[in-house]
Amino acid sequence: MGGKTVGVIGAGAWGSGLAQALARGGHSVEIWALEKDVVDDINNAHENKRYLPGFPLSENLTASTDIKKVAAGKEFLILASPSLYLASTIKQILDVEGIADGSTCIGVLTKGFIPSEDGPKLILETIEKVLPKSYEKSLVYIAGPSHAEEVAMGKITGLIAASENPKNSIRFRELLRVPRLMVYSSLDVIGVQICAAAKNIIAVVYGSMDAVAENSDCFGDNTESLLLAAGLNEIQTLGFALGATHAETFTSIAGVGDLDVTCRSKYGRNRRFGQDIIKTDILDKFKDLDDLIARIGEIGYLPEGAVACKYVHEIAEKHGLKLLISDGLYRILNKEIKPTDFLHELMTVTGSFDI
């Protein structure tokens, strides 16, 4: 397959990591960043020093602060902006060549939920309402166990390309099949999105348990695996409640694979946040969960699970779901219970959750 033209909207770690993999694989890739220093570093030093420091980038990966230029006329466009800004970002490119007529194939990396007047919504459901109607049920959601650092280094990585449009799923599967990326198609768009968002919640709790286990006579590797299995069960419960269509989504790399790497990897920001809750009392400076979310930039890195647990709490209440781990993190971040008390409560009450 010859090289394709690809635009990437968002030069955070994951957007940059995947852009680098595509550029290394022979595609012509242009990435948009809001910050001029990020653009200058990518173009001149071939490194994203702000969001992906220490990883050299290919010379055929270029950057621009002109979002319309990056999006216009590309065969493929990948959206990687944070969930809070995704809709407003997309509105800036609706009139460009390829988007206006629907000829550009669009994939999405953004994880999480987006608030609305009638409750939290999934990513694709939200942005389909912003994009031209031709993109309805045609977007491709890309997820899997894929820390940006290892993708940038060229470590073997598996991804899922999920879409209700099988043709577009295959198009992205073929685009992403560059050296050391293994890509699989899926039709379960809802299930894959739920896995990508909810696993961050479990990873925060996992990080807290990992920190407590360092000086504990009752928590260890066995306990952490128990938590991971229970967390996967919660993700599946949430997924089916919101319309996931395939049970195998949760046992695939989209489910158990992504959950495992997010909980266990040294690169995991959500795991790190959970550890910081125990080791550095990072929550002390925040009044409650809403205050934490409003001032999340003060943490110094982005723990997506902290935001996701607020929305999952709302969804669980609406659907009457029993999600003990997710609810526990909500109570911890909202200053309703101490993290160590919750962990002991969760793990010492026989039959407290189903596996």
Side-chain angles (χ1 to χ4, degrees):
M1 180 183 69
K4 304 294 184 180
T5 57
V6 184
V8 178
I9 304 300
W14 183 208
S16 298
L18 189 59
Q20 164 60 12
L22 290 169
R24 188 173 56 234
H27 299 297
S28 177
V29 186
E30 189 172 19
I31 192 168
W32 171 77
L34 185 65
E35 307 92 344
K36 187 177 185 302
D37 64 292
V38 173
V39 168
D40 290 343
D41 285 341
I42 292 173
N43 288 334
N44 301 323
H46 303 296
E47 180 185 355
N48 186 338
K49 296 179 181 179
R50 182 186 290 221
Y51 297 115
L52 197 63
F55 298 92
L57 303 176
S58 301
E59 291 189 7
N60 58 325
L61 170 57
T62 59
S64 175
T65 57
D66 186 342
I67 191 170
K68 290 182 181 292
K69 174 179 177 293
V70 171
K74 299 296 194 295
E75 295 170 272
F76 293 87
L77 188 69
I78 296 173
L79 304 176
S81 295
S83 58
L84 289 175
Y85 313 110
L86 187 58
S88 60
T89 300
I90 292 171
K91 288 177 181 177
Q92 300 178 57
I93 59 173
L94 295 178
D95 60 345
V96 305
E97 178 190 356
I99 304 297
D101 63 7
S103 61
T104 296
C105 193
I106 296 180
V108 183
L109 303 182
T110 306
K111 299 176 176 67
F113 301 89
I114 297 178
S116 73
E117 292 182 357
D118 56 343
K121 301 297 183 184
L122 292 172
I123 299 293
L124 296 197
E125 179 184 5
T126 301
I127 63 176
E128 277 185 357
K129 296 177 181 177
V130 179
L131 287 163
K133 192 167 181 61
S134 57
Y135 285 104
E136 187 175 347
K137 299 186 184 302
S138 292
L139 299 172
V140 181
Y141 193 78
I142 301 160
S146 50
H147 282 298
E149 294 85 354
E150 292 198 351
V151 172
M153 284 188 285
K155 301 285 188 181
I156 295 171
T157 299
L159 296 173
I160 294 283
S163 180
E164 293 183 70
N165 182 321
K167 181 180 178 181
N168 283 352
S169 174
I170 292 170
R171 289 180 68 190
F172 257 100
R173 185 186 71 192
E174 297 307 310
L175 173 79
L176 294 168
R177 277 187 173 170
V178 296
R180 300 185 182 179
L181 278 187
M182 304 168 67
V183 189
Y184 307 89
S185 292
S186 172
L187 298 174
D188 189 4
V189 176
I190 292 177
V192 173
Q193 288 181 89
I194 291 294
C195 288
K199 50 99 177 184
N200 291 320
I201 299 171
I202 309 303
V204 175
V205 179
Y206 187 99
S208 291
M209 177 176 286
D210 191 57
V212 171
E214 292 180 8
N215 299 292
S216 172
D217 61 355
C218 61
F219 292 163
D221 291 348
N222 295 346
T223 329
E224 290 179 351
S225 290
L226 174 62
L227 176 65
L228 193 149
L232 181 62
N233 189 66
E234 284 199 9
I235 294 170
Q236 182 170 262
T237 298
L238 178 65
F240 283 139
L242 293 182
T245 56
H246 293 66
E248 57 266 31
T249 296
F250 303 95
T251 56
S252 74
I253 58 173
V256 67
D258 204 1
L259 175 63
D260 177 74
V261 79
T262 305
C263 287
R264 298 186 189 275
S265 174
K266 63 182 179 181
Y267 298 115
R269 294 185 299 270
N270 293 282
R271 171 187 169 136
R272 175 184 172 185
F273 182 61
Q275 292 173 325
D276 284 344
I277 289 174
I278 302 299
K279 293 184 175 182
T280 70
D281 297 317
I282 197 170
L283 298 182
D284 285 357
K285 62 181 178 180
F286 301 109
K287 178 183 177 182
D288 53 23
L289 178 55
D290 287 336
D291 184 42
L292 188 156
I293 292 173
R295 299 162 54 202
I296 202 164
E298 296 178 23
I299 293 175
Y301 55 91
L302 179 60
E304 298 97 328
V307 181
C309 85
K310 174 182 172 67
Y311 298 135
V312 168
H313 180 75
E314 293 179 22
I315 294 168
E317 286 196 328
K318 179 179 179 179
H319 291 269
L321 304 178
K322 179 184 176 183
L323 305 175
L324 295 182
I325 302 170
S326 302
D327 181 66
L329 181 60
Y330 176 85
R331 289 189 291 145
I332 289 169
L333 301 184
N334 214 33
K335 300 296 186 71
E336 298 172 18
I337 189 172
K338 293 181 179 179
T340 50
D341 289 346
F342 166 69
L343 289 171
H344 283 92
E345 172 189 299
L346 180 71
M347 289 300 176
T348 58
V349 177
T350 302
S352 60
F353 46 56
D354 299 321
I355 302 296

